[in-house]
Amino acid sequence: MNIDFNKNQDGLVPAIIQDSKTRKVLMLGYMNEEAFLKTNETKKVTFFSRTKERLWTKGEESGNFLNLVNIKLDCDNDTLLVEVNPEGPVCHKGTDTCWAEENTVDYGFLSKLEGIIASRQKLSETEPELRKENDNSYVVSLFDKGINKIAQKVGEEAVETVIEAKDNNDDLFLNESADLLFHYMILLKAKGFGLKDIVKVLEERH
């Protein structure tokens, strides 16, 4: 790894710290060559602290170490992407990241959809007569009918997806696949689970 430590006068390169599992960016630090070598040797991420003017291993006081998984070098050879498994919160303020974000897996739009489904489930726990007119959505109605109806819908969508898979209409197949995934996510939530629980099972099988 040919890191250009001489590009900046202080001999430091930025080190972007990323959780290897959630892919969340946790913090930004700086490394000189000595910090880089110590990080690789100890497998604990070590920076050069510009305020303390010395090497600083993250967690040396708090115990919240950053366990090294992998280091990547960017195309200009002057920025590091350090993948880690963190022990505890990363920020000195006690938050998971230095941007006060939760260090949770984000599946993009699917995570957003999970949030919407969760809000609909919460609405279904409100008595019908106490709901607002726009509270009675399709998803709320499924939660109202209970787990048997939700499971039935998953079965129906699965059959329809299989049927479309046997034909050559890609548009219909994709739409039925989307319906199946959508209803399956509702079933997961009704059972108290989410996509991350399924991913965990798959990871354990891998």
Side-chain angles (χ1 to χ4, degrees):
M1 189 175 291
N2 186 25
I3 305 170
D4 188 358
F5 288 106
N6 297 317
K7 192 165 188 176
N8 299 310
Q9 291 183 353
D10 55 12
L12 302 178
V13 296
I16 302 165
I17 309 302
Q18 181 183 48
D19 190 300
S20 65
K21 294 181 179 178
T22 67
R23 316 310 295 172
K24 282 278 189 180
V25 174
L26 305 177
M27 65 171 290
L28 173 69
Y30 293 87
M31 290 185 182
N32 59 11
E33 187 170 7
E34 188 179 1
F36 173 78
L37 292 174
K38 185 174 181 181
T39 295
N40 279 278
E41 178 186 353
T42 65
K43 304 305 178 184
K44 305 288 185 185
V45 175
T46 297
F47 303 101
F48 181 84
S49 172
R50 294 171 297 172
T51 55
K52 300 175 183 178
E53 296 187 345
R54 64 170 177 84
L55 294 188
W56 165 63
T57 299
K58 178 71 176 72
E60 63 185 24
E61 296 179 0
S62 65
N64 298 327
F65 293 101
L66 299 173
N67 299 305
L68 180 65
V69 174
N70 189 35
I71 299 181
K72 297 177 182 178
L73 183 62
D74 80 334
C75 57
D76 291 324
N77 297 335
D78 62 0
T79 301
L80 300 174
L81 178 62
V82 184
E83 299 175 357
V84 303
N85 286 327
E87 295 182 25
V90 171
C91 183
H92 69 283
K93 293 185 176 180
T95 55
D96 288 350
T97 80
C98 288
W99 291 270
E101 296 177 323
E102 288 188 12
N103 186 20
T104 54
V105 178
D106 189 344
Y107 300 111
F109 176 73
L110 290 181
S111 292
K112 181 178 179 180
L113 186 56
E114 277 193 313
I116 294 172
I117 291 171
S119 68
R120 298 295 190 269
Q121 183 186 43
K122 188 173 181 179
L123 280 175
S124 75
E125 296 169 357
T126 304
E127 294 297 328
E129 60 271 14
L130 299 178
R131 298 176 193 169
K132 298 178 182 178
E133 185 176 345
N134 60 354
D135 285 347
N136 295 310
S137 71
Y138 169 71
V139 178
V140 172
S141 71
L142 279 181
F143 280 118
D144 285 346
K145 293 172 183 175
I147 191 72
N148 289 342
K149 181 61 178 179
I150 296 171
Q152 178 186 334
K153 283 298 297 181
V154 172
E156 291 172 0
E157 298 299 342
V159 170
E160 291 172 8
T161 300
V162 170
I163 291 172
E164 293 303 334
K166 294 176 175 292
D167 293 330
N168 295 318
N169 190 320
D170 292 343
D171 185 60
L172 286 177
F173 171 69
L174 290 174
N175 273 279
E176 292 299 344
S177 298
D179 287 343
L180 173 58
L181 178 57
F182 176 62
H183 286 88
Y184 177 62
M185 290 174 66
I186 296 173
L187 179 61
L188 279 176
K189 187 60 182 174
K191 294 290 291 182
F193 298 109
L195 291 173
K196 63 181 179 61
D197 299 298
I198 304 303
V199 171
K200 181 179 179 181
V201 171
L202 292 172
E203 288 176 339
E204 291 172 349
R205 291 179 179 178
H206 181 64

